Amino acid sequence: MSIAVADISFSYGQRQALQSVSFELQPGCFNALLGPNGAGKSTLFGLLTRLNALQCGSASINGHDIRQHPARVMSQLGVVFQQSSLDLDLTVQQNLLYHAALHGIARKPALAQIELELMRMEMLDRLHDKVRNLNGGHRRRVEIARALLHQPGVLLLDEPSVGLDPASRRALNQHVRQLCEDRGLTVLWATHLIEEIDPQDPVLLLHNGQLKAHNSGQQICLQQQVDSLSEAFHRITGLNREAA
Amino acid sequence: MSHLDGTLSLPASAYWHCFCGILKREYLRFINQRSRFLSALVRPLLWLIVFAAGFRAALGIAIIEPYETYITYEVYIAPGLCCMILLFNGMQSSLSMVYDREMGSMRVLLMSPLPRQFLLLSRLLSIAIISLLQVYAFLAIALLVGVEPPLAGYITVLPALVLVAVMLGALGLFISSRIRQLENFAGVMNFVIFPMFFLSSALYPLWKMQESSEWLYWLCRINPFSHAVELVRHALYLKLDTESLLVTAAATAVFSLLAVTGFNPQKNQKPTR
């Protein structure tokens, strides 16, 4: 299952946020979307999740055009937003049951699926805790469990590690990589942190709304004739490494 | 259920589970926000207990439909205050629906594969149903000041209240998604809630308004909120005001249509960074 984007451009009034972006994700793989703040990552996510309307170009998920078959697309898409979108005053189970209901899943199968997903995320013991009482890392895990409840083939994560300490960040990253291996899930992980990307990961490098590179981290380094992805990033964007 | 052309048609049960989920969530939010529930009750109770006591002497009420005898001013304004609860709730929740869309709750809702029109109408209806709990709590307290409609009236008023609540929620959603200037609650209060409430039969019978000013009377007559109040007033006393029912139903249909077509999360988006 994959995402294909062809010639997408998007502007907010005068400001051009994306310019002629085209790519196809590698299916069943951890794909990284790397770019500094303001590169257009969230705009791209908004378009893929239909929160923003496509102005030009096209996008499809597993061959289904997002404009023509929105229901099919949304049922195959799991999304973790940059800002937490859990209801803090509800319990983990109540939040997840709500999401399952939105996907038309009845309570009984939803409860079974919730148990399964939380077990995978090692969060089952927090089932009846209010989200307010969870730390940032655990909230993220619940959000990933939620995004997978309806068993999508594609998981989009918009800077999911923002606000987490380094240990939680690594654990979360590892968890999602495991999901790719275990289930053949296609992941698009947006980040501005180069250390979250492994050398063999396919990388989409976005800068000023343009796709500057699309290759594995290793290949990008080879093309740029540098030793590390952070140096390649610096060479391509002209930004220093800290800005990435 | 999928078709060969790649479209997905979800079974009717998926719609039902989705609606139940949205309703349950509104209910859970409601019981988690008891302070909001109490403050929503204070406003109409102030009108009923303080304002009505002061105005009782100033405003004599003749025998008018649907009442069969002389009534106190408290009895007269109670149905209007029920609608006032729905008016405030409808506007408040619709505003939050629109301006929450950059935030989590609306995004989560819109990740559903079900049609967005269905999702919005489900949320409007859920908010309406939860608002009814406040109306019934208000009517229970109103018994203490002599507002005693027939027992069966509490049941016959239910469909009227649901219809009015959806009408006002849809109007709120339409207004807040179309008129950017009204993006805070104070603006909505001044330009929507107060004019709608005062230019209606909630606080005074329209013939009294006609005695003062013919054009104000006509403004009140065309105000759908007047018809909503009369629908609720009659239903509470086991009567059906057909004209009010038709106007309220038509207004609900029009506002709902405008709201779901006007609500486009893909419009008016600001860059997030």
Side-chain angles (χ1 to χ4, degrees):
Chain A
M1 208 165 277
S2 185
I3 295 181
V5 162
D7 207 17
I8 279 184
S9 296
F10 191 88
S11 61
Y12 298 101
Q14 297 290 310
R15 196 174 81 77
Q16 190 79 24
L18 289 175
Q19 286 176 50
S20 301
V21 172
S22 302
F23 62 82
E24 194 163 338
L25 291 190
Q26 244 180 63
C29 220
F30 184 100
N31 295 265
L33 175 62
L34 176 67
N37 288 337
K41 302 190 295 294
S42 288
T43 302
L44 182 63
F45 268 64
L47 293 170
L48 293 175
T49 54
R50 298 179 61 247
L51 289 171
N52 292 355
L54 279 174
Q55 291 170 344
C56 67
S58 65
S60 63
I61 291 178
N62 207 25
H64 304 299
D65 187 275
I66 64 170
R67 269 189 291 221
Q68 283 166 9
H69 307 300
R72 169 67 80 188
V73 165
M74 298 318 282
S75 67
Q76 291 176 353
L77 207 61
V79 186
V80 176
F81 295 107
Q82 189 178 10
Q83 283 153 343
S84 175
S85 54
L86 293 165
D87 208 321
L88 298 181
D89 293 321
L90 303 189
T91 65
V92 169
Q93 189 186 50
Q94 287 166 343
N95 267 288
L96 297 187
L97 274 174
Y98 174 57
H99 178 83
L102 289 177
H103 280 265
I105 304 171
R107 187 181 163 84
K108 216 172 158 187
L111 284 172
Q113 194 62 28
I114 287 169
E115 203 167 300
L116 194 70
E117 293 299 341
L118 286 180
M119 205 146 40
R120 280 192 183 130
M121 292 286 156
E122 295 163 21
M123 288 291 293
L124 191 56
D125 56 327
R126 311 301 299 268
L127 185 66
H128 299 294
D129 286 5
K130 283 199 173 177
V131 171
R132 193 178 290 286
N133 299 330
L134 303 183
N135 66 31
H138 286 170
R139 287 183 195 179
R140 276 303 190 205
R141 286 196 201 186
V142 173
E143 286 193 290
I144 292 174
R146 181 178 67 176
L148 296 174
L149 268 186
H150 56 286
Q151 296 169 290
V154 177
L155 181 62
L156 304 180
L157 304 105
D158 189 5
E159 306 218 23
S161 53
V162 163
L164 300 185
D165 60 72
S168 309
R169 220 159 50 203
R170 270 193 302 278
L172 189 71
N173 189 280
Q174 215 46 50
H175 237 101
V176 173
R177 289 177 183 280
Q178 199 61 44
L179 285 171
C180 293
E181 270 182 41
D182 296 348
R183 302 196 205 180
L185 202 65
T186 304
V187 166
L188 182 61
W189 173 289
T191 185
H192 62 274
L193 300 167
I194 289 170
E195 63 264 30
E196 292 183 344
I197 302 171
D198 285 354
Q200 70 281 8
D201 289 337
V203 178
L204 295 143
L205 203 161
L206 204 60
H207 181 51
N208 288 337
Q210 290 176 315
L211 190 62
K212 299 285 189 185
H214 183 198
N215 218 325
S216 72
Q218 285 161 329
Q219 285 299 321
I220 293 175
C221 292
L222 274 175
Q223 283 164 359
Q224 297 297 320
Q225 297 172 326
V226 290
D227 294 329
S228 68
L229 191 56
S230 61
E231 283 176 273
F233 178 86
H234 169 65
R235 187 165 280 195
I236 292 169
T237 63
L239 294 169
N240 60 32
R241 285 163 220 176
E242 286 72 33
Chain B
M1 217 178 296
S2 50
H3 295 291
L4 290 174
D5 65 353
T7 56
L8 182 75
S9 76
L10 291 149
S13 62
Y15 286 79
W16 172 245
H17 294 313
C18 180
F19 173 72
C20 291
I22 294 173
L23 180 62
K24 176 91 185 284
R25 179 175 175 271
E26 289 302 325
Y27 172 72
L28 290 171
R29 280 167 62 84
F30 169 75
I31 56 169
N32 278 327
Q33 296 178 340
R34 270 178 228 118
S35 57
R36 202 175 132 194
F37 171 65
L38 291 176
S39 65
L41 272 184
V42 166
R43 193 181 304 117
L45 285 174
L46 273 175
W47 281 87
L48 185 71
I49 295 162
V50 183
F51 179 83
F55 256 61
R56 180 190 290 217
L59 204 77
I61 303 282
I63 298 177
I64 51 163
E65 276 281 317
Y67 309 106
E68 284 160 355
T69 176
Y70 285 103
I71 51 162
T72 63
Y73 187 53
E74 284 87 345
V75 171
Y76 180 80
I77 63 169
L81 296 178
C82 292
C83 293
M84 181 204 223
I85 295 173
L86 301 178
L87 180 62
F88 269 88
N89 275 6
M91 294 293 153
Q92 218 157 13
S93 18
S94 299
L95 259 184
S96 72
M97 271 169 85
V98 172
Y99 297 103
D100 274 1
R101 71 181 173 214
E102 294 290 343
M103 312 245 304
S105 68
M106 214 56 201
R107 286 183 167 193
V108 173
L109 185 75
L110 296 177
M111 288 305 109
S112 165
L114 292 164
R116 287 181 170 173
Q117 289 87 343
F118 172 78
L119 298 171
L120 287 176
L121 287 178
S122 295
R123 187 132 187 232
L124 279 180
L125 191 59
S126 301
I127 292 166
I129 291 170
I130 301 303
S131 298
L132 297 185
L133 299 175
Q134 293 177 18
V135 173
Y136 278 101
F138 167 75
L139 283 172
I141 299 172
L143 280 169
L144 302 175
V145 291
V147 181
E148 296 168 347
L151 209 55
Y154 290 101
I155 297 165
T156 50
V157 78
L158 184 67
L161 290 171
V162 173
L163 185 66
V164 171
V166 173
M167 175 184 93
L168 296 170
L171 176 66
L173 185 56
F174 165 64
I175 289 173
S176 41
S177 53
R178 287 287 172 100
I179 307 173
R180 299 292 291 176
Q181 288 80 1
L182 289 184
E183 63 185 54
N184 60 59
F185 197 63
V188 173
M189 285 258 280
N190 289 333
F191 292 101
V192 182
I193 293 182
F194 285 154
M196 260 193 125
F197 185 62
F198 291 123
L199 284 171
S200 79
S201 56
L203 296 178
Y204 17 74
L206 293 190
W207 60 265
K208 278 210 173 263
M209 192 59 112
Q210 196 171 17
E211 281 177 358
S212 316
S213 158
E214 191 68 26
W215 68 271
L216 274 180
Y217 166 75
W218 278 105
L219 277 180
C220 296
R221 284 279 295 157
I222 58 167
N223 180 0
F225 191 73
S226 287
H227 294 278
V229 171
E230 289 314 304
L231 181 69
V232 168
R233 188 191 306 286
H234 282 73
L236 194 56
Y237 289 85
L238 307 176
K239 293 198 173 150
L240 175 66
D241 181 345
T242 315
E243 183 193 322
S244 292
L245 174 64
L246 291 175
V247 173
T248 312
T252 306
V254 171
F255 293 154
S256 301
L257 190 71
L258 290 172
V260 294
T261 52
F263 181 88
N264 182 358
Q266 303 181 329
K267 270 187 359 190
N268 303 327
Q269 292 251 331
K270 289 175 217 144
T272 44
R273 51 194 127 111

